[in-house]
Amino acid sequence: MKYRQLPGNDFKVSEVGFGVWTVATKWWGVTDEELGKKLLRSAYEDYGINFFDTADVYGNGRGETIIAEALKDKRHNLFFATKGGYDIYTNRGERTGHSELPQDWRPESMRRSLEESLKRLQTDYIDLYQLHNARMSTIQSDLVLETLERFKEEGKIRFYGVALGPDIGWKDEGLAAIEKYDVVHVINNILEQDPARDFFPYADQHQTSLIVRVPHASGLLDGTYDPDKHFDKSDHRNHRPIEWMKAGLDVVRELKPLYQEKDRTIGQLAILFSLARPSVKSVFPNITNEENLKEFSESSDKQPLTQEEMDRIESLWVNGYAERLAQPFANSKNKPAKLVEE
């Protein structure tokens, strides 16, 4: 495992991180809690992953308690990131399916969310505290920034950032967040390059760190998507329009020379694509079993993508498959749906 350093911090984070939502919810099929804890421990002990990203809303707090149960004794060797902003306290039990809860950005509510996260994580500080799916008004709020700075001064958080939600605020919000926050958490993958393509040079300019989720486009870029398989309504992949998934499969066929002729899998290629950007410090693939934990973590030790390979992907995107992926939605208000709380 290779590691990268966030500006202003002497702690280096693993290039491949662990998005805890896969073992704290039912959205990706991991319902065995003991398996979830085993994967978390193995990620650190066997593969060198030290960056764990979660949120208070995952499993109504389970996304944080499971980390403490699995890794509490390793705390000072790990980098914990969590998120707050959704009111999971006064609205407990009101959420259905993947619907979005109300948000509450008042200082007293932010403090309550932070304190409860600290308790669930069984720690006295959080390495990275993120505003979860914040809108522009929140990102630009002086009061929100002052509150986060106060948390930092108190030693309760080390960095603060924004986890962007594509269905509720994306490009403009991302550019604004890069100007004001330490870390910005985005979706980026070979099949969903916009608007992150605009973030990379801006992040370099402002020395802002980016972290990336959904590198495998809900299974299209890790070989797990089966067009003949039915996903349960609780499964995240069920929320991807089938027309977009089919278009994505056509694109994947064009990528074969970039992994079949190299010592890498398509899943590793997808992770290396985001890691080719210096501003990206870590990538969070969806880890659901020992096999993909091993495969994805070993991406870090593979040969990085060459400039020629990046240029080839760029050419494919600009000269054809960006338009092909958009075509299923050209006559519709629909777009490739993503869960707002990824």
Side-chain angles (χ1 to χ4, degrees):
M1 178 64 67
K2 297 186 180 108
Y3 300 84
R4 299 188 179 189
Q5 194 163 345
L6 276 69
N9 180 29
D10 57 1
F11 191 99
K12 293 184 178 181
V13 297
S14 52
E15 289 188 337
V16 178
F18 198 123
V20 182
W21 80 313
T22 59
V23 297
T25 71
K26 297 179 180 179
W27 301 335
W28 277 90
V30 180
T31 57
D32 184 338
E33 290 192 0
E34 290 307 311
L35 171 61
K37 287 186 278 190
K38 180 181 178 182
L39 289 172
L40 290 168
R41 286 191 292 267
S42 181
Y44 172 69
E45 295 172 357
D46 300 327
Y47 299 104
I49 291 175
N50 66 3
F51 193 171
F52 295 86
D53 177 73
T54 191
D56 58 4
V57 76
Y58 298 163
N60 278 327
R62 184 58 184 158
E64 294 171 329
T65 59
I66 193 173
I67 294 178
E69 291 169 8
L71 296 166
K72 180 184 176 183
D73 58 331
K74 307 292 193 303
R75 173 65 185 103
H76 295 294
N77 297 323
L78 305 176
F79 194 92
F80 285 173
T82 193
K83 311 177 191 77
Y86 286 107
D87 185 358
I88 67 171
Y89 304 103
T90 60
N91 294 280
R92 186 176 293 275
E94 293 181 13
R95 183 174 181 236
T96 59
H98 296 266
S99 62
E100 188 182 16
L101 285 172
Q103 294 181 325
D104 189 343
W105 301 108
R106 293 174 299 170
E108 60 271 24
S109 298
M110 291 177 64
R111 181 169 292 278
R112 178 184 183 184
S113 294
L114 173 63
E115 296 291 352
E116 292 296 328
S117 288
L118 288 167
K119 289 178 186 176
R120 286 189 291 265
L121 287 164
Q122 297 184 41
T123 184
D124 55 3
Y125 69 96
I126 291 168
D127 297 285
L128 171 62
Y129 194 67
Q130 303 161 89
L131 308 182
H132 201 170
N133 295 334
R135 276 69 168 178
M136 182 67 85
S137 59
T138 302
I139 291 170
Q140 294 183 324
S141 168
D142 289 339
L143 185 56
V144 166
L145 283 164
E146 289 168 6
T147 303
L148 292 170
E149 279 293 336
R150 193 170 301 114
F151 296 159
K152 202 171 183 179
E153 291 167 2
E154 293 171 1
K156 294 187 176 181
I157 65 175
R158 300 178 69 188
F159 295 93
Y160 54 79
V162 178
L164 295 171
D167 288 337
I168 55 177
W170 198 213
K171 182 177 178 178
D172 291 342
E173 288 79 358
L175 295 173
I178 286 169
E179 292 183 2
K180 296 175 178 288
Y181 292 79
D182 302 316
V183 179
V184 180
H185 187 160
V186 304
I187 287 175
N188 177 238
N189 61 64
I190 295 173
L191 302 181
E192 296 172 289
Q193 295 190 33
D194 290 325
R197 280 156 48 92
D198 295 320
F199 297 161
F200 299 125
Y202 208 55
D204 290 337
Q205 177 185 341
H206 288 273
Q207 293 190 307
T208 301
S209 297
L210 301 179
I211 53 179
V212 167
R213 70 185 187 275
V214 199
H216 295 124
S218 298
L220 278 170
L221 292 169
D222 64 10
T224 62
Y225 176 67
D226 181 350
D228 297 321
K229 181 178 179 180
H230 170 73
F231 293 111
D232 184 82
K233 289 183 178 180
S234 65
D235 192 296
H236 168 62
R237 288 160 286 191
N238 187 62
H239 293 255
R240 292 277 196 173
I242 189 65
E243 295 86 357
W244 185 85
M245 299 294 277
K246 288 179 179 178
L249 284 175
D250 291 337
V251 173
V252 167
R253 295 186 186 99
E254 298 186 34
L255 298 172
K256 285 185 177 181
L258 294 179
Y259 64 92
Q260 286 190 341
E261 298 172 9
K262 309 285 185 177
D263 180 27
R264 55 172 80 116
T265 66
I266 185 172
Q268 292 169 339
L269 169 70
I271 291 171
L272 291 168
F273 171 73
S274 289
L275 288 175
R277 308 290 188 172
S279 57
V280 173
K281 305 307 178 184
S282 191
V283 176
F284 303 119
N286 288 318
I287 295 169
T288 58
N289 56 56
E290 286 281 355
E291 290 75 19
N292 58 40
L293 170 59
K294 181 178 189 296
E295 176 190 350
F296 299 158
S297 64
E298 290 178 352
S299 303
S300 179
D301 294 321
K302 296 295 181 179
Q303 183 67 32
L305 294 188
T306 64
Q307 187 58 55
E308 181 181 355
E309 289 173 320
M310 290 295 287
D311 290 343
R312 182 169 183 175
I313 294 173
E314 171 76 7
S315 178
L316 286 170
W317 178 263
V318 172
N319 296 317
Y321 74 71
E323 182 178 349
R324 288 168 58 187
L325 286 165
Q327 192 59 42
F329 313 96
N331 299 317
S332 171
K333 292 183 180 180
N334 294 326
K335 55 184 174 180
K338 308 175 193 73
L339 179 66
V340 296
E341 292 174 3
E342 283 180 300

